[in-house]
């Protein structure tokens, strides 16, 4: 049986490689991981953007540069033009007895308060050298936003693995070979397992590679692989049902879009919904996978907690399989 | 007439397809999520752990100052667990913060580390001046660390008074901000509606290529562009219906629907033409997958800038989804800029026409690939 499973896996891999699909699925997440590395430092350094008049007060510009992004313009009109642009830039301009703050009027309150605070600190001559404080750092280097993006990427990879399965099944359907499997010595379970291998292989390879590229090499990769594996099982299940239910790529594409909704909802729920309201997301395995990944990426992962999360994911997958199994078997007939 | 006839035929085919209904169901689900699961305003409270290593009287004054800042709040005695240990704390919840005052520095350090939030120890220096020791994670930017280190060099009362007295001259005063629910609309409309057109259009063409429909056009009197345009019309119709399903119940009659439809249609046309162009280079979706996938991800990047005020690098602005998001935002903003969506629509229409013309030439030449 193992030989047959491997034959199906090798066959899928060969077909996918011929059309570069597996390669795309494996390489694109890596490109995204590089993209995350590229944008996250600048996002983490996000502060208030200030527009000042060049040479009007170089000391002030140098002072603000320690706390905010400073842009210098030749005159007040150009500062005003910059403030009027679509992004959030606040101007600090001279008046008779000091400086005033020029805003477009649509900036978030936090940005305006930050600019006011900086101007007050400057006017009060509060210098960094006079700081009555010390900072102790824990040595963490990965900012929360990067962690969030990497976590989203991991879930996306498991989704894509499901999509790969759906595409492979669809290809078999188009070639009318799904029913032909019934007259071969290959059992249904061997067929299902064989078809799943490509997705699992892609998911595990891409996830681990992305974690390494994004600098998470000191997390527990074993724990991460376990979560990826468990969330991929759900994607595989959905991939199978999508592939078997869809008659063409249009329908499969539409189903994938629907699948994005619980995924995006679970992430948004975990990140933005507070306290007791999170209970409304407990049904979603993506929620638990995201939570488990978050714990691992934060390096605060304890095995008992992780096993609980994985257990929940597998239990939900089991329930989904129990519901979908008769349909899968029927479609394979 | 041939175009109209092709459009009618495409519409009938689409109405029999599962995909058409998925789009509508998707729009209804998004609407339900927005109405029932997304609050009008997200509560964003930050957490901090504090140890007041101060004489009892000073400690009381400090705590009272926090309590007086928000009338009616009462401290609550709580127990916190971290790293297998339990710590007693006094919890003070304000509109913006949850402040836990703990009994020793070790508690601050452990809690700040395990919860990944800021921790601070306040004590008196040799001159009886407050001295602050902050526990930070390490990934905070240098600029933020600079600010934190001098934040309390001046007394809070003095700072607050001076901040209040700052003169602010807004260039416009008729701005009304969107609530969080309304603010999520532009990305949803942009990605679920306009930009999905690219993916769907490519899928449509690959399906027809597979069935040999495009080759059949070589022997019909109808030009290929009409066939392609009829496909685009179907997608635009789906986009408009699903867009209105999401926007109308949330925004009511507060927005300019003429402008909304204009931007939705022109951006949909642009995305569909882009999808057509991609489809003209490949035989099937599998082969085009890499390009479509990368493009979708690239087009999603401006949504990060959309949600992070202050992060707006120049390179983001040349990605087409940037003006798309900003255009939709201007439309739903009360007193929004009308010129911006109009200019964006003109730009998307022009780009769409160019892409469509190029695609038409490619399809006419090959009629298959």
């Amino acid at each position: 049986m193992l030989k047959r499973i491997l034959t199906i896996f090798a066959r899928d891999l060969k077909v996918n490689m011929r059309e570069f699909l597996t390669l795309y699925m494996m390489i694109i997440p890596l490109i995204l991981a590089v993209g995350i590395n590229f944008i996250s430092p600048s996002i983490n350094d996000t502060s208030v953007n200030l527009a000042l008049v060049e040479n009007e007060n170089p000391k002030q510009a140098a002072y603000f540069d320690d706390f905010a992004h400073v842009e210098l313009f030749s005159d007040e009109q150009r500062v005003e033009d910059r403030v009027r642009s679509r992004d959030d830039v606040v101007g600090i301009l001279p008046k008779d007895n000091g400086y005033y703050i020029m805003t477009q009027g649509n900036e978030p309150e936090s940005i305006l308060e930050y600019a006011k605070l900086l101007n007050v600190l400057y006017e009060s001559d509060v210098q960094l050298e006079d700081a009555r404080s010390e900072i102790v750092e824990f040595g963490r280097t990965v900012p929360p936003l990067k962690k969030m993006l990497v976590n989203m990427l991991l879930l996306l990879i498991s989704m894509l693995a499901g999509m790969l399965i759906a595409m492979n099944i669809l290809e078999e359907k188009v070639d009318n070979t799904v029913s032909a499997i019934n007259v071969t010595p290959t059992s249904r379970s061997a067929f299902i397992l064989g078809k799943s291998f490509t997705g699992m292989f892609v998911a595990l390879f891409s996830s681990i590679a992305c974690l390494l590229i994004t600098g998470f090499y000191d997390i527990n990769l074993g724990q991460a692989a376990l979560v990826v594996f468990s969330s991929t099982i759900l994607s595989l299940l959905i991939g199978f049902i999508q592939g078997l239910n869809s008659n063409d790529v249009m329908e499969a594409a539409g189903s994938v879009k629907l699948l994005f909704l619980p995924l995006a909802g679970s992430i948004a729920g975990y990140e933005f919904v507070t306290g007791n309201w999170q209970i409304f997301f407990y049904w979603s395995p993506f929620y638990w996978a995201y939570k488990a990944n978050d714990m691992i990426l934060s390096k605060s992962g304890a095995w008992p907690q992780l096993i609980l999360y994985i257990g929940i994911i597998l239990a939900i997958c089991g329930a989904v399989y129990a519901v979908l199994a008769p349909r899968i078997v029927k479609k394979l007939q | 007439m041939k175009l109209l006839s092709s459009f009618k035929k495409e519409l009938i085919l689409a109405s029999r397809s599962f995909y058409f209904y998925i789009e509508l169901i998707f729009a209804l689900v998004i609407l339900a999520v927005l109405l029932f699961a997304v609050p009008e305003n997200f509560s964003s409270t930050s957490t901090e752990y504090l140890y007041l290593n101060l004489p009892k009287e000073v400690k009381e004054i400090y705590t009272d100052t926090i309590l007086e800042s928000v009338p009616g709040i009462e401290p609550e005695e709580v127990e916190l667990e971290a790293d297998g240990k339990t710590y007693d704390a006094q919890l003070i919840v304000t509109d913006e913060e949850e402040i836990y005052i703990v009994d020793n520095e070790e508690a601050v350090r452990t809690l700040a580390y395990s919860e990944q939030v800021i921790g601070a120890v306040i004590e008196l220096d040799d001159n009886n001046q407050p001295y602050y020791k902050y526990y930070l994670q390490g990934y905070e930017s240098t600029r933020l660390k600079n600010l934190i280190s001098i934040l309390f060099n001046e007394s809070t009362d003095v700072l607050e008074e001076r901040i209040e007295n700052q003169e602010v001259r807004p260039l416009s005063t008729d701005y009304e901000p969107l609530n969080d629910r309304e603010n999520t609309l532009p990305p949803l409309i942009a990605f679920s509606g306009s930009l999905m057109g690219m993916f769907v259009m490519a899928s449509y063409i690959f399906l027809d290529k597979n069935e040999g429909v495009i080759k059949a056009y070589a022997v019909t009197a109808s030009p290929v562009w009409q066939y392609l345009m009829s496909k685009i019309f179907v997608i635009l119709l789906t986009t408009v219906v699903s867009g209105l399903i999401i926007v109308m119940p949330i925004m009511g009659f507060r927005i300019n629907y003429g402008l909304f439809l204009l931007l939705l249609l022109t951006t949909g046309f642009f995305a569909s033409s882009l999808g057509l162009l991609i489809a003209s280079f490949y035989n099937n979706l599998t082969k085009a997958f890499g390009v479509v996938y990368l493009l979708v991800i690239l087009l999603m990047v401006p949504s990060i800038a959309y949600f992070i005020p202050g992060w707006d690098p120049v390179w983001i602005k040349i990605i087409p989804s940037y003006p798309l998001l900003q255009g939709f935002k201007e439309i739903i903003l009360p007193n929004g800029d009308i010129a911006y969506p109009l200019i964006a629509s003109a730009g998307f229409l022009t780009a769409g026409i160019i892409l469509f013309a190029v695609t038409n030439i490619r399809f006419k030449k090959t009629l298959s690939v």
Side-chain angles (χ1 to χ4, degrees), chain A residues 32 42 44 66 68-69 86-87 95 101 103 106 119 124 130 133-134 136 138 140 142 160 257 261, chain B residues 23 29 113 132 134 136-139 143 146 149 153 162 166-167 169 171 175 293 297 311-312 330:
Chain A
L32 293 178
S42 68
N44 193 47
D66 282 334
H69 293 278
R86 304 205 63 75
D87 50 349
K95 60 176 183 177
I101 290 165
T103 63
N106 60 0
N119 204 29
S124 310
D130 307 328
S133 63
E134 66 173 288
V136 180
F138 293 129
R140 288 189 166 119
V142 181
L160 288 175
K257 190 177 166 182
L261 204 63
Chain B
E23 281 294 317
V29 173
Y113 182 79
Y132 298 81
Y134 295 104
L136 301 184
Q137 303 306 312
Y139 48 65
R143 289 187 167 106
N146 285 346
S149 63
N153 266 29
R162 287 184 186 165
Q166 287 285 301
E167 186 186 350
R169 296 184 195 170
L171 295 169
Y175 178 83
Y293 186 11
I297 297 288
W311 187 71
D312 221 5
E330 287 299 337

Side-chain angles (χ1 to χ4, degrees), chain A residues 265-332:
Chain A
S266 303
I267 296 171
Y270 182 79
E271 292 291 345
F272 302 118
V273 178
T274 48
N276 298 333
W277 290 93
Q278 295 227 344
I279 202 167
F280 289 104
F281 297 91
Y282 284 3
W283 58 270
S284 167
F286 296 116
Y287 170 85
W288 294 104
Y290 190 81
K291 200 176 166 91
N293 282 336
D294 188 54
M295 197 177 78
I296 296 165
L297 297 177
S298 307
K299 285 185 262 180
S300 56
W303 277 104
Q305 215 173 351
L306 185 77
I307 288 166
L308 173 72
Y309 294 159
I310 290 174
I312 294 171
I313 296 169
L314 293 178
I316 297 170
C317 288
V320 174
Y321 181 74
V323 175
L324 298 184
R327 294 183 75 180
I328 293 178
V329 172
K330 196 179 164 192
K331 289 280 178 181
L332 283 176

Side-chain angles (χ1 to χ4, degrees), chain B residues 6 15 17 58 99 155 160 185 188 190 205 281 334 363:
Chain B
S6 294
S15 66
S17 149
V58 185
I99 304 166
S155 87
E160 278 178 4
L185 277 177
L188 284 173
I205 297 299
F281 285 95
F363 271 101

Side-chain angles (χ1 to χ4, degrees), chain A residues 16 18-21 24-25 28-29 31-32 38-39 42-47 49 63-70 80 82-84 86-88 95 99-108 111-121 123-124 126-128 130-145 147 149 156 160 163 167 174 248-251 253-255 257-258 260-261 272-274 281 298-300, chain B residues 17-19 22-23 25-26 29-30 33 37 42-43 108-110 112-114 116-117 123 125 129-154 158-159 162-164 166-173 175 191-193 196 199-200 203-204 206-207 210 282 284-291 293-294 297 301 304 308-313 315 317 322 326-327 329-330 337 340:
Chain A
N16 291 156
R18 200 184 297 150
E19 295 192 328
F20 301 111
L21 186 65
Y24 284 145
M25 295 267 194
I28 291 173
I31 297 172
L32 293 178
F38 171 67
I39 62 168
S42 68
I43 297 178
N44 193 47
D45 192 34
T46 299
S47 171
N49 300 315
Y63 182 87
F64 285 152
D65 194 46
D66 282 334
F67 307 98
H69 293 278
V70 176
E80 186 180 322
R82 183 68 186 91
V83 172
R84 277 190 198 279
R86 304 205 63 75
D87 50 349
D88 294 315
K95 60 176 183 177
Y99 288 85
Y100 73 93
I101 290 165
M102 177 191 277
T103 63
Q104 196 179 0
N106 60 0
E107 293 81 3
I111 284 186
L112 180 59
E113 289 302 314
Y114 198 113
K116 279 180 177 178
L117 174 66
L118 289 186
N119 204 29
V120 166
L121 290 172
E123 287 177 351
S124 310
V126 177
Q127 298 297 328
L128 273 172
D130 307 328
R132 289 202 306 271
S133 63
E134 66 173 288
I135 288 175
V136 180
E137 294 180 30
F138 293 129
R140 288 189 166 119
T141 50
V142 181
L145 188 98
K147 192 178 67 179
L149 290 175
L156 188 73
L160 288 175
M163 201 168 149
M167 293 278 202
V174 171
D248 52 59
V249 282
M250 280 297 291
E251 290 184 8
S255 315
K257 190 177 166 182
L258 270 184
F260 265 99
L261 204 63
F272 302 118
V273 178
T274 48
F281 297 91
S298 307
K299 285 185 262 180
S300 56
Chain B
S17 149
F18 178 49
Y19 168 75
I22 285 186
E23 281 294 317
I25 293 167
F26 191 76
V29 173
I30 285 184
V33 170
F42 296 125
S43 65
V108 168
R109 193 172 47 240
T110 311
Y113 182 79
S114 66
Q116 298 195 25
V117 293
E123 51 203 8
D125 63 10
Q129 292 291 313
Y131 184 82
Y132 298 81
K133 187 176 184 181
Y134 295 104
Y135 284 97
L136 301 184
Q137 303 306 312
Y139 48 65
E140 295 83 357
S141 69
T142 309
R143 289 187 167 106
L144 182 66
K145 286 174 197 163
N146 285 346
L147 182 68
I148 288 172
S149 63
I150 60 161
L151 195 55
F152 295 106
N153 266 29
E154 283 284 336
V158 174
L159 272 183
R162 287 184 186 165
I163 286 173
E164 282 298 308
Q166 287 285 301
E167 186 186 350
V168 179
R169 296 184 195 170
L171 295 169
S172 169
T173 50
Y175 178 83
F191 296 115
S192 162
M196 271 311 279
F199 187 53
V200 175
S203 308
Y204 254 140
F206 290 133
L207 186 63
N210 196 32
Y282 301 95
N284 56 44
L285 186 62
T286 318
K287 284 181 178 163
F289 185 79
V291 179
Y293 186 11
L294 272 181
I297 297 288
V301 174
I304 300 176
I308 301 177
W311 187 71
D312 221 5
W315 59 267
K317 294 173 189 171
Y322 182 88
Q326 298 296 331
K329 189 174 183 182
E330 287 299 337
D337 181 6
Y340 189 85

